Each structure stands twice: as C-alpha cells, then as structure tokens.
Amino acid sequence: MLEHGGRLRRAAQQYGIPLAEWLDLSTGVSPWPWSLPNIPTNAWMRLPEDSDGLEAAACRYYGAEQLLPLPGSQAAIQLLPKLRRPGRVGVVSPCYAEHAQAWRGAGHSLREVSDQEVSHHLERFDVLVVVNPNNPTGRRIEPGVLLEWHAQLQARSGWLVVDEAFMDCTPEQSLVASCASRPGLVVLRSFGKFFGLAGARLGFAFAEPRLLASLAQLIGPWAVNGPTRWVAQAVLGDFHEHVERRRDLADASRRLAGLLGEHGFAPHGGTSLFQWAVSMQSHALREHLARQGILVRLFDSPASLRFGLPPDEDGWQRLEHGLRTFNQMESLR
C-alpha cells in the first residue's frame, strides 16, 4: 500500500496526541463540508438504482452527456489498466502515485516523464496519464496542449487519461464538457475533495460509451451506495453554493501561500485546495509540526510538503505558531 495523507489515527498513536487535538492539513480536501440533506430510510434499506437521478444531476454539474459513477475515482485508476493489453505507458510525474503503481501492476511498461518531456517521448507511448491540476505540484496543463497529445495518441488507438480530481475550483479548464466523449480520452473526477466529503467515496469517469460500459462491467453492480447517491444529488445541484465555495477556497489558498512565504516556505505551486513547498527542511518541519499536533503531507522526491487549508481561525493560528517556532528553533542551531 502506498503512503497517503489523512492517516490521522496512526499519527495520533505515534506522537501520543489525542485524535481530537490534531489539525489535519495532509489531505488536500476542503476543510468545510457541505450541509447535508436528511437521508431517507429507504436509501439504507434498498439496493441503489441507476434511475434515481444521480447520473442526471452529475451530468448537469459537469456539463457532460454521459458518465459512470464510481466508488471513488481510485476504482477507475486501479481498473483502467486492465482494459488494455500490456503496452507502453507514460505518467507525467511527480503526481498521485497510485497511477504509476496501477499500470505497472497490470503488466504495462511504464516510464515517468515531466510535462516538458512528453513531446519527446509521446510517439513511444500507447497511454499517457496526466493529473491536471497536478497533485502535489498544482501545475496545470492547458486544454489545448492536452488535446494535441490526445490526437497523437488516438491516431494509433492510444489513450490519454486525465485525472481532474482537483479541477472543481477551475471548471473552465476541464475537458469534460466539450471533449470527454472522444474516443481515446478518459477523464476522471473526484467528488470528495471540493465538496469536503471524502468519506462518501464517490467519483466519476467520462469516456466514450463503449469504454464506460467495459469499465462498468469490471466494477460490477451497486458500485455506489444508496446514501451517497442521495447526498450527492443534492450537493451537485446546489449551484449558488458552488460559486461561493470556489471563491472562499481561492481566498483561503492565497492566505495560505502568503503565510508560508512569510516564514520562508514560499510555495512552488498549488491549487485552491492546497499549497506545495519544496525545501531541504521538509522532513524537519514535518516532524516539528507533528509534535505540535499538525499533520502535513511529506514527499521525498523532491523533498517537499503539501499543506491543506486550515478549517478555522484557530487552525490558522496554530499553523502560524508552528512555522514561527520552527524558524526560531532553527536559528538557534
């Protein structure tokens, strides 16, 4: 199993700090969950049905003609490699590590490349995987560039797989509405990050109908549970709140970038949901913050930290104190 953010119980045990006293900034999930509707009893008692309205609500939200609900976009990440015979796969890296692991584990020959290297290697790939905006760097690749790559791949029956898990804050840059039904293009979206409902385990895949049908057959029936389907319909239809939430997240992310910069950890990239700072002090800062009950996400290559958004003013003050005391400690060395 790969390392991920959000392993709060393990951190609480490791550092001897009660679970309730932690500030978890490790996940890149919105710190403000949506107001949830009451879930009717029959959503718990009956098997979920495709005709309950979730697909229609999601199509309206994403501007798509067709989609496949998933038990988290992770399900598609793990299963898509099984829909192709072993071939040559490129993954634009660094990125969410599950992509490379899934393709490699299914027997594909894998090469990790930077986005600047794609044009040099693209003719050798049968599949190219891109996370856009990228996690953890926050780097964005323009839709026009992605579509050029897709055209080259599709001309030889290849695929471009685009993971848009962090795209909800910038929907105008998404490929879903205008392009997601093109042959050879697969787009993945995550429900939990923008809506602050990671525990719902819901995502969506967008692709041509034949590919969606093959993916659905691998996933099997009743993939998304009834209560999640009910909640998601209400949340996806709350268009006024979507606009306000995007504004609030962008404001908080700018504040986070400023705070990190004030303490010598100016971000090298980010999105409205997180900031990413590269530093040789990453391991030491991560340990210092953890001892104060603040969990951030550490990456080894390059040595860097991803900071999620504090949920409230107390969280902001705790993070500021942690950064300040780290610098004070370092100045005494």
Side-chain angles (χ1 to χ4, degrees):
M1 295 289 290
L2 295 173
E3 288 290 321
H4 296 285
R7 296 190 172 184
L8 201 57
R9 294 184 183 276
R10 187 175 67 176
Q13 183 178 25
Q14 179 180 352
Y15 291 95
I17 300 173
L19 197 65
E21 296 179 14
W22 280 84
L23 173 64
D24 185 6
L25 306 180
S26 70
T27 66
V29 172
S30 172
W32 312 309
W34 228 262
S35 297
L36 301 181
N38 292 325
I39 300 174
T41 302
N42 64 2
W44 297 99
M45 297 179 64
R46 297 182 57 82
L47 289 171
E49 299 184 67
D50 295 344
S51 59
D52 64 358
L54 172 60
E55 284 81 356
C59 282
R60 286 191 296 271
Y61 173 76
Y62 292 110
E65 296 181 0
Q66 59 210 0
L67 52 78
L68 176 67
L70 307 165
S73 55
Q74 178 66 34
I77 291 171
Q78 292 180 222
L79 293 175
L80 282 170
K82 299 179 180 181
L83 293 179
R84 293 186 66 98
R85 66 184 63 182
R88 301 162 299 175
V89 178
V91 175
V92 178
S93 298
C95 74
Y96 182 56
E98 292 284 352
H99 286 287
Q101 174 152 301
W103 287 94
R104 189 180 289 116
H108 298 267
S109 172
L110 188 128
R111 184 185 185 108
E112 297 189 51
V113 296
S114 69
D115 54 342
Q116 294 91 349
E117 295 173 323
V118 169
S119 59
H120 178 71
H121 294 284
L122 189 58
E123 65 180 15
R124 302 182 180 95
F125 294 148
D126 302 304
V127 176
L128 179 67
V129 180
V130 181
V131 180
N132 195 47
N134 190 37
N135 171 28
T137 69
R139 183 170 174 81
R140 294 172 176 81
I141 300 175
E142 291 298 318
V145 174
L146 293 172
L147 292 177
E148 288 180 9
W149 294 348
H150 165 257
Q152 294 180 55
L153 289 160
Q154 200 277 325
R156 53 181 188 275
S157 300
W159 288 359
L160 175 66
V161 179
V162 184
D163 182 347
E164 294 187 348
F166 289 95
M167 188 62 81
D168 292 72
C169 293
T170 52
E172 69 280 358
Q173 298 180 20
S174 173
L175 295 182
V176 168
S178 59
C179 309
S181 61
R182 297 186 183 187
L185 179 62
V186 183
V187 183
L188 306 178
R189 294 293 288 265
S190 172
F191 175 79
K193 293 176 175 60
F194 173 69
F195 293 105
L197 298 171
R201 302 308 304 133
L202 176 63
F204 298 94
F206 304 84
E208 60 179 312
R210 183 175 59 178
L211 197 156
L212 289 181
S214 297
L215 184 58
Q217 187 172 11
L218 273 184
I219 293 174
W222 314 301
V224 178
N225 68 74
T228 289
R229 294 180 68 94
W230 179 270
V231 167
Q233 289 181 61
V235 170
L236 289 168
D238 193 359
F239 286 95
H240 177 73
E241 184 64 23
H242 300 162
V243 175
E244 293 189 358
R245 185 60 56 90
R246 291 187 183 104
R247 180 197 62 213
D248 293 343
L249 289 169
D251 289 346
S253 187
R254 283 191 290 268
R255 180 179 178 181
L256 178 59
L259 177 62
L260 293 171
E262 289 171 10
H263 292 278
F265 294 94
H268 291 72
T271 71
S272 291
L273 287 166
F274 62 82
Q275 293 292 333
W276 179 66
V278 179
S279 173
M280 294 300 294
Q281 296 178 300
S282 293
H283 285 77
L285 178 56
R286 191 265 184 191
E287 181 68 16
H288 176 79
L289 293 176
R291 293 188 181 280
Q292 299 185 36
I294 303 172
L295 189 62
V296 296
R297 180 73 164 90
L298 175 68
F299 296 88
D300 290 323
S301 182
S304 54
L305 293 170
R306 189 186 65 198
F307 295 80
L309 304 177
D312 51 32
E313 197 59 36
D314 177 68
W316 286 103
Q317 296 304 317
R318 288 183 63 184
L319 178 58
E320 192 282 331
H321 179 267
L323 295 169
R324 175 165 43 83
T325 55
F326 176 78
N327 285 327
Q328 291 171 348
M329 180 184 68
E330 290 295 301
S331 69
L332 296 176
R333 290 184 184 274

PDB file of all heavy atoms in Angstrom, residues 145-161:
ATOM      1  N   VAL A 145      -3.079  21.894 -25.142  1.00  0.00           N
ATOM      2  CA  VAL A 145      -1.922  21.006 -25.147  1.00  0.00           C
ATOM      3  C   VAL A 145      -2.363  19.557 -24.937  1.00  0.00           C
ATOM      4  O   VAL A 145      -1.908  18.636 -25.626  1.00  0.00           O
ATOM      5  CB  VAL A 145      -0.910  21.424 -24.062  1.00  0.00           C
ATOM      6  CG1 VAL A 145       0.228  20.421 -23.943  1.00  0.00           C
ATOM      7  CG2 VAL A 145      -0.371  22.826 -24.356  1.00  0.00           C
ATOM      8  N   LEU A 146      -3.260  19.359 -23.988  1.00  0.00           N
ATOM      9  CA  LEU A 146      -3.761  18.013 -23.725  1.00  0.00           C
ATOM     10  C   LEU A 146      -4.448  17.425 -24.958  1.00  0.00           C
ATOM     11  O   LEU A 146      -4.272  16.234 -25.270  1.00  0.00           O
ATOM     12  CB  LEU A 146      -4.730  18.033 -22.541  1.00  0.00           C
ATOM     13  CG  LEU A 146      -4.118  18.369 -21.179  1.00  0.00           C
ATOM     14  CD1 LEU A 146      -5.223  18.552 -20.147  1.00  0.00           C
ATOM     15  CD2 LEU A 146      -3.151  17.281 -20.738  1.00  0.00           C
ATOM     16  N   LEU A 147      -5.216  18.231 -25.647  1.00  0.00           N
ATOM     17  CA  LEU A 147      -5.923  17.728 -26.821  1.00  0.00           C
ATOM     18  C   LEU A 147      -4.965  17.413 -27.968  1.00  0.00           C
ATOM     19  O   LEU A 147      -5.226  16.502 -28.769  1.00  0.00           O
ATOM     20  CB  LEU A 147      -6.991  18.727 -27.259  1.00  0.00           C
ATOM     21  CG  LEU A 147      -8.157  18.889 -26.278  1.00  0.00           C
ATOM     22  CD1 LEU A 147      -9.131  19.952 -26.757  1.00  0.00           C
ATOM     23  CD2 LEU A 147      -8.877  17.560 -26.067  1.00  0.00           C
ATOM     24  N   GLU A 148      -3.872  18.147 -28.075  1.00  0.00           N
ATOM     25  CA  GLU A 148      -2.850  17.793 -29.066  1.00  0.00           C
ATOM     26  C   GLU A 148      -2.248  16.428 -28.748  1.00  0.00           C
ATOM     27  O   GLU A 148      -2.046  15.600 -29.644  1.00  0.00           O
ATOM     28  CB  GLU A 148      -1.758  18.862 -29.090  1.00  0.00           C
ATOM     29  CG  GLU A 148      -2.188  20.182 -29.709  1.00  0.00           C
ATOM     30  CD  GLU A 148      -1.065  21.201 -29.700  1.00  0.00           C
ATOM     31  OE1 GLU A 148       0.089  20.825 -29.378  1.00  0.00           O
ATOM     32  OE2 GLU A 148      -1.344  22.380 -29.999  1.00  0.00           O
ATOM     33  N   TRP A 149      -1.931  16.206 -27.465  1.00  0.00           N
ATOM     34  CA  TRP A 149      -1.398  14.897 -27.062  1.00  0.00           C
ATOM     35  C   TRP A 149      -2.418  13.803 -27.343  1.00  0.00           C
ATOM     36  O   TRP A 149      -2.071  12.726 -27.835  1.00  0.00           O
ATOM     37  CB  TRP A 149      -1.028  14.917 -25.581  1.00  0.00           C
ATOM     38  CG  TRP A 149       0.102  15.831 -25.233  1.00  0.00           C
ATOM     39  CD1 TRP A 149       0.962  16.450 -26.110  1.00  0.00           C
ATOM     40  CD2 TRP A 149       0.507  16.230 -23.924  1.00  0.00           C
ATOM     41  NE1 TRP A 149       1.861  17.211 -25.417  1.00  0.00           N
ATOM     42  CE2 TRP A 149       1.624  17.100 -24.085  1.00  0.00           C
ATOM     43  CE3 TRP A 149       0.049  15.953 -22.637  1.00  0.00           C
ATOM     44  CZ2 TRP A 149       2.270  17.677 -22.990  1.00  0.00           C
ATOM     45  CZ3 TRP A 149       0.692  16.527 -21.548  1.00  0.00           C
ATOM     46  CH2 TRP A 149       1.795  17.371 -21.724  1.00  0.00           C
ATOM     47  N   HIS A 150      -3.695  14.088 -27.012  1.00  0.00           N
ATOM     48  CA  HIS A 150      -4.744  13.087 -27.247  1.00  0.00           C
ATOM     49  C   HIS A 150      -4.849  12.733 -28.725  1.00  0.00           C
ATOM     50  O   HIS A 150      -4.962  11.546 -29.081  1.00  0.00           O
ATOM     51  CB  HIS A 150      -6.091  13.618 -26.744  1.00  0.00           C
ATOM     52  CG  HIS A 150      -7.257  12.836 -27.262  1.00  0.00           C
ATOM     53  ND1 HIS A 150      -8.062  13.303 -28.283  1.00  0.00           N
ATOM     54  CD2 HIS A 150      -7.727  11.603 -26.947  1.00  0.00           C
ATOM     55  CE1 HIS A 150      -8.991  12.404 -28.551  1.00  0.00           C
ATOM     56  NE2 HIS A 150      -8.813  11.364 -27.749  1.00  0.00           N
ATOM     57  N   ALA A 151      -4.788  13.728 -29.605  1.00  0.00           N
ATOM     58  CA  ALA A 151      -4.921  13.467 -31.036  1.00  0.00           C
ATOM     59  C   ALA A 151      -3.805  12.549 -31.533  1.00  0.00           C
ATOM     60  O   ALA A 151      -4.051  11.632 -32.341  1.00  0.00           O
ATOM     61  CB  ALA A 151      -4.907  14.785 -31.809  1.00  0.00           C
ATOM     62  N   GLN A 152      -2.586  12.765 -31.053  1.00  0.00           N
ATOM     63  CA  GLN A 152      -1.466  11.914 -31.466  1.00  0.00           C
ATOM     64  C   GLN A 152      -1.636  10.485 -30.951  1.00  0.00           C
ATOM     65  O   GLN A 152      -1.361   9.520 -31.667  1.00  0.00           O
ATOM     66  CB  GLN A 152      -0.156  12.500 -30.958  1.00  0.00           C
ATOM     67  CG  GLN A 152       0.200  13.843 -31.581  1.00  0.00           C
ATOM     68  CD  GLN A 152       1.512  14.382 -31.029  1.00  0.00           C
ATOM     69  OE1 GLN A 152       2.543  13.713 -31.071  1.00  0.00           O
ATOM     70  NE2 GLN A 152       1.479  15.598 -30.521  1.00  0.00           N
ATOM     71  N   LEU A 153      -2.109  10.345 -29.725  1.00  0.00           N
ATOM     72  CA  LEU A 153      -2.312   9.007 -29.158  1.00  0.00           C
ATOM     73  C   LEU A 153      -3.469   8.292 -29.845  1.00  0.00           C
ATOM     74  O   LEU A 153      -3.375   7.113 -30.205  1.00  0.00           O
ATOM     75  CB  LEU A 153      -2.577   9.122 -27.658  1.00  0.00           C
ATOM     76  CG  LEU A 153      -1.379   9.518 -26.794  1.00  0.00           C
ATOM     77  CD1 LEU A 153      -1.853  10.070 -25.454  1.00  0.00           C
ATOM     78  CD2 LEU A 153      -0.461   8.313 -26.580  1.00  0.00           C
ATOM     79  N   GLN A 154      -4.567   9.005 -30.023  1.00  0.00           N
ATOM     80  CA  GLN A 154      -5.767   8.379 -30.574  1.00  0.00           C
ATOM     81  C   GLN A 154      -5.561   7.933 -32.018  1.00  0.00           C
ATOM     82  O   GLN A 154      -6.168   6.950 -32.471  1.00  0.00           O
ATOM     83  CB  GLN A 154      -6.935   9.371 -30.477  1.00  0.00           C
ATOM     84  CG  GLN A 154      -8.315   8.727 -30.553  1.00  0.00           C
ATOM     85  CD  GLN A 154      -8.753   8.483 -31.978  1.00  0.00           C
ATOM     86  OE1 GLN A 154      -8.434   9.288 -32.858  1.00  0.00           O
ATOM     87  NE2 GLN A 154      -9.496   7.401 -32.206  1.00  0.00           N
ATOM     88  N   ALA A 155      -4.671   8.604 -32.736  1.00  0.00           N
ATOM     89  CA  ALA A 155      -4.402   8.231 -34.130  1.00  0.00           C
ATOM     90  C   ALA A 155      -3.858   6.817 -34.239  1.00  0.00           C
ATOM     91  O   ALA A 155      -3.973   6.190 -35.308  1.00  0.00           O
ATOM     92  CB  ALA A 155      -3.423   9.225 -34.746  1.00  0.00           C
ATOM     93  N   ARG A 156      -3.273   6.306 -33.164  1.00  0.00           N
ATOM     94  CA  ARG A 156      -2.786   4.923 -33.177  1.00  0.00           C
ATOM     95  C   ARG A 156      -3.484   4.099 -32.091  1.00  0.00           C
ATOM     96  O   ARG A 156      -2.904   3.182 -31.510  1.00  0.00           O
ATOM     97  CB  ARG A 156      -1.269   4.883 -33.002  1.00  0.00           C
ATOM     98  CG  ARG A 156      -0.724   5.626 -31.819  1.00  0.00           C
ATOM     99  CD  ARG A 156       0.816   5.527 -31.791  1.00  0.00           C
ATOM    100  NE  ARG A 156       1.360   6.079 -30.572  1.00  0.00           N
ATOM    101  CZ  ARG A 156       1.626   7.368 -30.366  1.00  0.00           C
ATOM    102  NH1 ARG A 156       1.417   8.238 -31.356  1.00  0.00           N
ATOM    103  NH2 ARG A 156       2.122   7.788 -29.220  1.00  0.00           N
ATOM    104  N   SER A 157      -4.749   4.456 -31.824  1.00  0.00           N
ATOM    105  CA  SER A 157      -5.615   3.743 -30.868  1.00  0.00           C
ATOM    106  C   SER A 157      -5.101   3.806 -29.442  1.00  0.00           C
ATOM    107  O   SER A 157      -5.362   2.908 -28.635  1.00  0.00           O
ATOM    108  CB  SER A 157      -5.786   2.265 -31.299  1.00  0.00           C
ATOM    109  OG  SER A 157      -6.365   2.194 -32.575  1.00  0.00           O
ATOM    110  N   GLY A 158      -4.373   4.867 -29.123  1.00  0.00           N
ATOM    111  CA  GLY A 158      -3.896   5.061 -27.760  1.00  0.00           C
ATOM    112  C   GLY A 158      -4.882   5.846 -26.925  1.00  0.00           C
ATOM    113  O   GLY A 158      -5.914   6.318 -27.412  1.00  0.00           O
ATOM    114  N   TRP A 159      -4.566   5.992 -25.642  1.00  0.00           N
ATOM    115  CA  TRP A 159      -5.422   6.704 -24.698  1.00  0.00           C
ATOM    116  C   TRP A 159      -4.672   7.859 -24.057  1.00  0.00           C
ATOM    117  O   TRP A 159      -3.462   7.757 -23.773  1.00  0.00           O
ATOM    118  CB  TRP A 159      -5.849   5.795 -23.540  1.00  0.00           C
ATOM    119  CG  TRP A 159      -6.845   4.740 -23.849  1.00  0.00           C
ATOM    120  CD1 TRP A 159      -7.455   4.485 -25.039  1.00  0.00           C
ATOM    121  CD2 TRP A 159      -7.332   3.763 -22.924  1.00  0.00           C
ATOM    122  NE1 TRP A 159      -8.299   3.412 -24.907  1.00  0.00           N
ATOM    123  CE2 TRP A 159      -8.250   2.949 -23.613  1.00  0.00           C
ATOM    124  CE3 TRP A 159      -7.080   3.498 -21.578  1.00  0.00           C
ATOM    125  CZ2 TRP A 159      -8.909   1.886 -23.014  1.00  0.00           C
ATOM    126  CZ3 TRP A 159      -7.731   2.450 -20.979  1.00  0.00           C
ATOM    127  CH2 TRP A 159      -8.642   1.647 -21.678  1.00  0.00           C
ATOM    128  N   LEU A 160      -5.400   8.907 -23.780  1.00  0.00           N
ATOM    129  CA  LEU A 160      -4.966   9.938 -22.845  1.00  0.00           C
ATOM    130  C   LEU A 160      -5.894   9.863 -21.647  1.00  0.00           C
ATOM    131  O   LEU A 160      -7.118   9.994 -21.783  1.00  0.00           O
ATOM    132  CB  LEU A 160      -5.052  11.330 -23.462  1.00  0.00           C
ATOM    133  CG  LEU A 160      -4.717  12.486 -22.507  1.00  0.00           C
ATOM    134  CD1 LEU A 160      -3.252  12.450 -22.090  1.00  0.00           C
ATOM    135  CD2 LEU A 160      -5.074  13.844 -23.124  1.00  0.00           C
ATOM    136  N   VAL A 161      -5.333   9.614 -20.462  1.00  0.00           N
ATOM    137  CA  VAL A 161      -6.100   9.547 -19.219  1.00  0.00           C
ATOM    138  C   VAL A 161      -5.783  10.802 -18.416  1.00  0.00           C
ATOM    139  O   VAL A 161      -4.615  11.052 -18.080  1.00  0.00           O
ATOM    140  CB  VAL A 161      -5.747   8.295 -18.400  1.00  0.00           C
ATOM    141  CG1 VAL A 161      -6.540   8.263 -17.094  1.00  0.00           C
ATOM    142  CG2 VAL A 161      -6.010   7.034 -19.224  1.00  0.00           C
TER     143      VAL A 161
END
